[in-house]
Amino acid sequence: MTSIVGVIFSSINEDNVPELTKLRSMGSIPYGGRYRLVDFPLSNMVNSGITTVGMITKNNYQSLMDHLGSGKYWDLARKEGGLILLPPYSGESETLYKNRLEALKGATAFLKKCKEDFVVLADSDAVYKLDYSKVIDYHIQKNADITMVYHEHEYVKSHYNMAFETAKDGRITDIEINPTSGGVKKNYINVMVARTSYLLRLIQDAIQHGYTSFGRDILSPGVKTYNLYAYKFEGYYANINSLHSYFNANMELLDKKVRTEIFGDRAIYTKVNDSSPAKFADTAKVKNSLIADGCIIEGTVENCVLFRGVKVGKGTVVKNCIIMTDNIIGDNCNLAYVVSDKNSVIRDNRVLAGCELQPYFINKGSLI
């Protein structure tokens, strides 16, 4: 059986969603009423038979540690292997990493100790379900040096993107970083496979040459010299690269087909929180919404995602909103297209509205 180790970047690309990553890592962003974004790459790894996972942290990772704990909810609380939190710097430096390559340099000690033949690298900025073992099989079949996973969809500009051109056999013939033109492209979804020993050699070579970017200094120039192959992922995929995309990804969960594709079949694991069931008063009216446990609904909720412990007061109307954990919304309020972070309080008689393209955002712990 092929042995695989996983490495997850918990904080890469957090500049894309500054509203949600001020006080937390990218992987800690809440999603779907009870999950965090890190649950998806982590569950994908566990479901693919990967039992050793290194989690590269950075700053603001207290909520990530609280969520992951010992890894027991993902069956990764083990004497050997399991979930291992990696520091945001190497033993040779006390400064935080600035990019993916520096993060990998800091993870070399972990990778050198690993006995697994292959390594899967994945980010925490997307919602998808993928069997990584199939990517490994494809990687071996193609005798590739590196296999990169892509998804075909409309290109959306953000801080850092990568798109491919490929030959008929799947070999990557060109890598475009931050494309200038739009349209449907083969967009890299930040999932990569390589032999562990090969990745370590690449990192060592990058250190010796003073490289600063994994994409620009290694992958893009290496198209002609390395055997780079692309693996096409065809399932549901939602990249969280803006507040707008975060809003849309949650709203898409109201579609039963999307929910079935994400949560059917193999489970997506998360931290279990034992709280009371949601309570609906006689005055409550709820339509096409996801209501997590611990909520108390006395008003009207329509086309919303409500996380645990949300209270909606009497006479209040909440439509097309994402309300995170332990929000309290007073009586006779009207909210539309609002994304409210955790532990916020909205007093009686408030009217707050954004739009689909630009939701109104409420910071964590706000009083309005």
Side-chain angles (χ1 to χ4, degrees):
M1 182 177 177
T2 304
S3 57
I4 315 168
V5 62
V7 173
I8 296 176
F9 299 88
S10 68
S11 297
I12 295 288
N13 301 322
E14 60 185 11
D15 290 341
N16 287 336
V17 200
E19 302 93 339
L20 296 171
T21 56
K22 289 177 183 177
L23 301 173
R24 58 168 70 90
S25 64
M26 190 77 188
S28 299
I29 292 177
Y31 168 81
R34 60 190 295 258
Y35 298 91
R36 304 286 182 126
L37 290 186
V38 73
D39 293 336
F40 292 89
L42 193 54
S43 297
N44 286 335
M45 288 186 178
V46 171
N47 290 332
S48 302
I50 300 173
T51 57
T52 301
V53 179
M55 183 74 62
I56 300 180
T57 59
K58 198 178 182 183
N59 47 0
N60 295 328
Y61 56 85
Q62 184 60 53
S63 62
L64 181 73
M65 295 176 65
D66 291 343
H67 179 71
L68 296 175
S70 64
K72 68 176 182 178
Y73 297 110
W74 297 264
D75 193 26
L76 291 175
R78 299 164 179 257
K79 291 183 178 180
E80 293 186 8
L83 180 63
I84 301 168
L85 295 178
L86 303 177
Y89 43 78
S90 66
E92 302 171 357
S93 172
E94 295 182 357
T95 59
L96 296 176
Y97 64 81
K98 298 177 182 178
N99 52 50
R100 189 181 306 276
L101 184 54
E102 290 185 5
L104 285 172
K105 289 176 183 177
T108 52
F110 165 74
L111 291 171
K112 286 178 180 178
K113 292 180 181 178
C114 294
K115 300 177 181 179
E116 288 81 1
D117 298 321
F118 295 92
V119 57
V120 175
L121 307 178
D123 286 4
S124 304
D125 63 345
V127 176
Y128 64 100
K129 185 181 288 187
L130 173 61
D131 186 347
Y132 295 138
S133 63
K134 291 183 179 179
V135 186
I136 295 287
D137 292 340
Y138 177 87
H139 179 82
I140 295 172
Q141 175 192 340
K142 294 294 185 179
N143 193 29
D145 293 328
I146 295 175
T147 297
M148 305 172 72
V149 183
Y150 72 91
H151 185 270
E152 287 190 354
H153 59 262
E154 189 79 20
Y155 167 69
V156 179
K157 187 177 181 180
S158 62
H159 282 77
Y160 189 88
N161 286 89
M162 197 179 295
F164 309 142
E165 289 184 10
T166 62
K168 291 182 179 179
D169 65 348
R171 181 161 182 165
I172 297 174
T173 57
D174 187 38
I175 293 178
E176 190 177 5
I177 297 175
N178 291 336
T180 55
S181 61
V184 176
K185 295 183 179 292
K186 296 178 179 179
N187 297 281
Y188 177 47
I189 68 169
N190 297 318
V191 175
M192 178 188 299
V193 164
R195 282 194 176 271
T196 309
S197 56
Y198 185 82
L199 180 63
L200 284 169
R201 287 200 301 272
L202 279 183
I203 297 171
Q204 186 60 41
D205 183 65
I207 294 172
Q208 292 174 352
H209 287 84
Y211 293 156
T212 58
S213 171
F214 197 81
R216 288 189 174 92
D217 295 334
I218 297 176
L219 296 176
S220 187
V223 167
K224 295 181 180 179
T225 54
Y226 305 142
N227 286 328
L228 302 183
Y229 277 83
Y231 178 92
K232 184 177 182 179
F233 170 61
E234 300 187 72
Y236 174 84
Y237 176 77
N239 182 223
I240 311 302
N241 56 19
S242 66
L243 184 62
H244 174 229
S245 65
Y246 173 76
F247 178 82
N248 281 347
N250 278 274
M251 289 295 105
E252 286 175 349
L253 280 176
L254 301 180
D255 185 337
K256 184 179 179 181
K257 292 181 180 178
V258 173
R259 291 200 305 274
T260 300
E261 183 167 353
I262 296 175
F263 300 112
D265 267 345
R266 297 182 170 194
I268 299 296
Y269 305 103
T270 191
K271 179 181 178 180
V272 176
N273 189 339
D274 295 325
S275 54
S276 59
K279 179 181 178 181
F280 300 89
D282 293 339
T283 54
K285 296 179 181 179
V286 179
K287 180 180 178 181
N288 192 38
S289 298
L290 295 180
I291 310 295
D293 49 330
C295 291
I296 300 175
I297 311 298
E298 298 177 334
T300 299
V301 178
E302 185 175 334
N303 299 328
C304 293
V305 177
L306 269 55
F307 287 70
R308 295 180 175 117
V310 172
K311 180 179 179 181
V312 178
K314 293 181 180 179
T316 288
V317 178
V318 183
K319 292 185 178 181
N320 302 303
C321 294
I322 301 167
I323 311 298
M324 297 189 202
T325 305
D326 293 332
N327 268 245
I328 298 176
I329 305 173
D331 297 340
N332 302 312
C333 295
N334 196 313
L335 276 64
Y337 294 100
V338 171
V339 176
S340 183
D341 210 332
K342 296 174 62 176
N343 302 316
S344 295
V345 176
I346 301 171
R347 289 180 170 174
D348 298 348
N349 305 307
R350 298 296 188 259
V351 177
L352 303 172
C355 66
E356 187 175 356
L357 295 178
Q358 190 170 351
Y360 183 86
F361 181 73
I362 300 174
N363 285 307
K364 181 178 179 180
S366 295
L367 174 62
I368 297 178

